[in-house]
Amino acid sequence: MIFETAEEFAAALPRHGALAGLDFGTKTIGVAVSDGLRSVATPLETVIRKKFTLDAARLLEIAQGRTVAGFVLGLPRNMDGSEGPRAQSTRAFARNLSRLTEIPIVYWDERLSTVAAERALLESDHSRKRRGELIDAVAAGYILQGLLDRLGYMARS
């Protein structure tokens, strides 16, 4: 099932269990996972895209191995909030993935997540090559952490 809001997504989740953040791109999918208590996002890996069935199989393999309770998929909106072709592609990917699993999926606005990830990698003094290898997983971490922070805020309110 796919959710548009964090509130709907939270209602569909079990009380505990890791979440996986996905930064869906044209060539790669950055993956990050949270701890079971959903407080910290950790970049995990970058999946090199091949075709949907192989990409989905790898994501579901990660989900099973990490006991993932939900997917957080970065939705690339334009700076004015509108959605372009990349957002439509992301939504299509989510629809196809949701047909293969019962794991709930939520969209999270990913504007500037890659910029923040790039800054963090620059500050940690990684080489250009190493930054290229890590950027998508780190961006997925920023996407996931944004939702984790929102869920934490909702729980305290």
Side-chain angles (χ1 to χ4, degrees):
M1 179 152 243
I2 301 172
F3 298 96
E4 292 288 332
T5 69
E7 292 79 10
E8 295 169 331
F9 181 66
L13 292 173
R15 189 161 175 81
H16 298 289
L19 299 179
L22 306 176
D23 182 30
F24 181 75
T26 55
K27 297 179 182 174
T28 61
I29 302 170
V31 181
V33 294
S34 75
D35 58 300
L37 296 176
R38 303 181 189 143
S39 56
V40 178
T42 305
L44 181 65
E45 73 177 76
T46 300
V47 176
I48 307 298
R49 293 193 53 203
K50 295 175 178 97
K51 62 180 190 174
F52 173 77
T53 52
L54 296 173
D55 301 342
R58 178 63 189 135
L59 295 176
L60 294 176
E61 181 182 325
I62 291 168
Q64 184 176 11
R66 302 258 177 184
T67 320
V68 167
F71 286 115
V72 181
L73 187 55
L75 189 63
R77 296 182 188 273
N78 297 322
M79 290 309 286
D80 66 0
S82 64
E83 294 184 11
R86 286 189 58 231
Q88 292 171 0
S89 176
T90 300
R91 287 184 182 279
F93 179 82
R95 279 192 305 274
N96 291 332
L97 184 62
S98 71
R99 291 183 185 118
L100 301 177
T101 183
E102 294 296 315
I103 298 172
I105 300 168
V106 67
Y107 298 114
W108 188 255
D109 188 341
E110 72 163 34
R111 279 181 279 193
L112 302 179
S113 63
T114 302
V115 172
E118 182 73 28
R119 278 195 191 133
L121 290 171
L122 280 169
E123 288 174 10
S124 62
D125 205 27
H126 287 292
S127 69
R128 181 183 303 269
K129 180 178 188 264
R130 187 71 179 136
R131 284 195 311 266
E133 295 167 358
L134 296 174
I135 189 73
D136 296 316
V138 172
Y142 272 90
I143 291 164
L144 178 55
Q145 191 63 55
L147 182 84
L148 294 175
D149 292 347
R150 176 74 179 128
L151 294 176
Y153 175 78
M154 288 167 37
R156 290 187 300 276
S157 296

